[in-house]
Amino acid sequence: NFLLTQPHSVSESPGKTVTISCTRNNGSIASNYVQWSQQRPGSAPTTLIYEDNERPSEVPRRFSGSIDPSSNSASLTITGLKTEDDADYYCQSFDDDNREVLGGGTKLTVL
Amino acid sequence: EVHLVESGGGSVKPGESLSLSCFASGFTFADTWMSWFRQVPGKGLEWVGRIKSKDNGGTADYAAPVKGRFTISRDDSKNTLYLQMDSLKAADSALYYCATVAGIATWGQGTLVTVSS
């Protein structure tokens, strides 16, 4: 199996851009789709990005996802940061048996 | 609109059992693989297990900490997913979420399980 490693926390100012990484420790990041979810305090997670870089229609274009095989990582980029983006962000993928693998989560502070 | 509602949470003693349900609406439940996740308040999400659709065999897989103690099942006629939890431990105390798998995943709001003597 494999692990997905995210930074524990990141912080940035409103209006700026932040990128959260998700690094796979073995096997190719491109082997299985990566999705990103957002969890605001006191709420259930919601999907921001699915299938590496697809965005549900209700998710603002400020959120984008990508994968980089050279670093074996996926990234979530948020532009034009707003205070409402203050939340926990999780990457997840699937192993070859379609079992879910979750990153440890990244706490984004917008200050 | 996809909607998931968990129920069945509560407070039990170590070694006891509890059964959670997740009622689904707004999509074709029978065609959808489903997962359970859990989250200790203030901590990260943890995958508990997943059940495939019956067309894909209907089998379930589990995370190592719960394998052999938890059982995931589904009743497609009732649009309901279940999580049977046996031999519960204090470490199983968490908010339990059901979620659709793949594509645009959707989570329910969760049901709280507390295991304490």
Side-chain angles (χ1 to χ4, degrees):
Chain A
N1 217 333
F2 63 90
L3 299 175
L4 296 174
T5 301
Q6 302 178 232
H8 182 69
S9 63
V10 296
S11 61
E12 190 49 272
S13 303
K16 300 290 190 180
T17 296
V18 70
T19 297
I20 299 171
S21 63
C22 171
T23 302
R24 179 167 168 161
N25 71 330
N26 69 67
S28 172
I29 192 71
S31 296
N32 310 90
Y33 282 132
V34 174
Q35 56 193 66
W36 290 89
S37 58
Q38 177 192 62
Q39 186 178 33
R40 292 192 172 110
S43 297
T46 59
T47 298
L48 286 177
I49 300 291
Y50 65 103
E51 294 179 3
D52 296 340
N53 54 19
E54 297 295 325
R55 191 178 50 247
S57 58
E58 68 273 16
V59 173
R61 292 182 181 182
R62 303 187 295 111
F63 295 87
S64 62
S66 63
I67 62 167
D68 179 8
S70 68
S71 60
N72 216 33
S73 65
S75 294
L76 172 69
T77 298
I78 311 171
T79 61
L81 277 169
K82 301 182 177 184
T83 55
E84 67 200 46
D85 299 332
D86 203 291
D88 295 326
Y89 294 84
Y90 295 89
C91 63
Q92 60 189 97
S93 188
F94 301 87
D95 67 15
D96 289 340
D97 292 319
N98 287 304
R99 290 172 297 198
E100 308 219 29
V101 180
L102 280 165
T106 298
K107 180 174 178 54
L108 169 62
T109 301
V110 181
L111 37 62
Chain B
E1 180 188 357
V2 175
H3 200 49
L4 299 170
V5 179
E6 301 93 340
S7 61
S11 185
V12 297
K13 291 181 169 52
E16 294 185 343
S17 298
L18 199 60
S19 180
L20 306 183
S21 300
C22 168
F23 177 73
S25 59
F27 64 101
T28 306
F29 179 75
D31 293 343
T32 305
W33 296 23
M34 299 292 297
S35 276
W36 285 99
F37 293 82
R38 65 185 182 183
Q39 185 174 38
V40 174
K43 303 295 185 183
L45 288 168
E46 179 186 15
W47 179 72
V48 171
R50 180 266 297 130
I51 188 166
K52 298 178 180 180
S53 62
K54 288 210 167 42
D55 278 353
N56 291 113
T59 54
D61 283 288
Y62 303 91
V66 308
K67 194 169 185 177
R69 299 187 299 121
F70 288 14
T71 303
I72 299 174
S73 61
R74 61 191 302 156
D75 185 339
D76 293 340
S77 69
K78 296 182 179 178
N79 276 16
T80 301
L81 174 73
Y82 301 100
L83 178 64
Q84 175 66 38
M85 303 184 293
D86 298 321
S87 303
L88 281 161
K89 307 174 182 180
D92 297 317
S93 296
L95 186 60
Y96 283 73
Y97 295 101
C98 63
T100 59
V101 174
I104 304 173
T106 298
W107 282 261
Q109 288 303 305
T111 186
L112 186 63
V113 173
T114 303
V115 184
S116 173
S117 54

